[in-house]
Amino acid sequence: MNSDVVHLGDLLRRHGLHLKKRLGQNFLADPVHLDRIVAAAELGLDDVVLEIGPGVGTLTARLARQAGQVIAVELDAGLLPALRETLAPYPNVTIVQGDILQLDPIQLVSLTAYPAQPATLDGIDNSQLTIHNSKFKVVANLPYYITSAAIRHLLSASVRPELIVLTVQREVAQRIIAKPPEMSLLAVSVQLFAQPEIVARIPAGAFYPPPKVDSAILRLRPWQHPPVDLPSEDHFFEVVRAGFGQRRKQLRNSLKS
């Protein structure tokens, strides 16, 4: 068995942790694929990285060695003791317990001024935050059930990330990069704001425990200038949703409503 998998299993047992299927907890353990994710993020020591879903920190530690600051947002409070143990050698990591969908990415990036572990957003006045660097990158291992919502949340933020590197189900990644006539509402929603590409495939066996499907490393490069000029994004998506709403009908019939 892979020594990294053994170490991960030992860490989970030592903290009495049982992974939760409802949260999509499959931790990437293979060092080759972990290194590929870090490489895809194109990190330098002046980069601030927002990591979503660090789990027990197997990827976070690698990010911390390559970036200037890492803010790791973990939903499951039960994982924090193991996460702190893994990240103890890295003072440039700030741990936040919370739901990324309920948090402002810019506020999170500003927490680099509050390096306590774990950090909390409670009691911090937004006006007191020092946004010393509004440029940041995102790295995330997203469970399927929040993939679309998380991407939408990041790309609609007041300040968009410079680069987004996601580990998602391979099928979802293929849907996101699709071109006409195979595009879906998800593909349109992403490609309006960013240029997507699949960097590498990750087999199910690279995770602990292995999921039932393969995954992929998906890289999104947000456009500096949108490919189309939209007077109203809301109106645009209203039309797009109508167009995809009834695929078996001709488009003109779908749009009549």
Side-chain angles (χ1 to χ4, degrees), residues 84-119:
R84 290 192 207 107
E85 178 183 324
T86 301
L87 300 178
Y90 304 100
N92 60 332
V93 177
T94 301
I95 301 171
V96 177
Q97 192 275 313
D99 182 352
I100 186 60
L101 299 180
Q102 304 300 320
L103 300 173
D104 181 353
I106 286 300
Q107 187 184 33
L108 289 166
V109 171
S110 301
L111 280 174
T112 55
Y114 296 83
Q117 296 189 9

Side-chain angles (χ1 to χ4, degrees), residues 4 33 38 49 58 82 95 108 111 113 117 136 138 163-164 168-169 173-175 177 182 197 201 226 234 241:
D4 292 270
H33 296 289
V38 175
V49 179
T58 50
I95 301 171
L108 289 166
L111 280 174
Q117 296 189 9
F136 66 103
V138 172
L163 195 68
I164 302 173
V168 299
Q169 287 192 14
Q174 291 171 331
R175 286 174 53 204
I177 68 168
E182 303 300 326
E197 62 175 322
R201 180 182 70 87
D234 290 342
R241 280 191 293 270

Side-chain angles (χ1 to χ4, degrees), residues 106-246:
I106 286 300
Q107 187 184 33
L108 289 166
V109 171
S110 301
L111 280 174
T112 55
Y114 296 83
Q117 296 189 9
T120 175
L121 299 181
D122 296 337
I124 296 178
D125 182 353
N126 285 2
S127 65
Q128 301 300 316
L129 291 172
T130 302
I131 304 178
H132 56 83
N133 185 358
S134 62
K135 294 182 178 181
F136 66 103
K137 297 179 178 180
V138 172
V139 177
N141 179 13
L142 294 176
Y144 174 74
Y145 75 97
I146 70 161
T147 297
S148 298
I151 292 175
R152 184 166 59 249
H153 183 57
L154 293 168
L155 291 178
S156 62
S158 57
V159 178
R160 290 174 186 152
E162 289 184 288
L163 195 68
I164 302 173
V165 177
L166 307 173
T167 303
V168 299
Q169 287 192 14
R170 188 183 183 191
E171 179 184 351
V172 175
Q174 291 171 331
R175 286 174 53 204
I176 287 174
I177 68 168
K179 301 297 181 184
E182 303 300 326
M183 293 185 80
S184 62
L185 176 58
L186 176 61
V188 174
S189 300
V190 173
Q191 292 182 34
L192 177 65
F193 298 108
Q195 179 181 14
E197 62 175 322
I198 294 178
V199 175
R201 180 182 70 87
I202 304 179
F207 292 85
Y208 179 88
K212 295 181 180 180
V213 296
D214 288 347
S215 297
I217 302 171
L218 179 71
R219 181 164 54 199
L220 307 178
R221 294 186 187 275
W223 302 111
Q224 289 188 347
H225 304 286
V228 291
D229 183 20
L230 297 180
S232 170
E233 288 182 9
D234 290 342
H235 188 213
F236 172 80
F237 281 110
E238 184 180 0
V239 174
V240 171
R241 280 191 293 270
F244 282 106
Q246 302 181 67

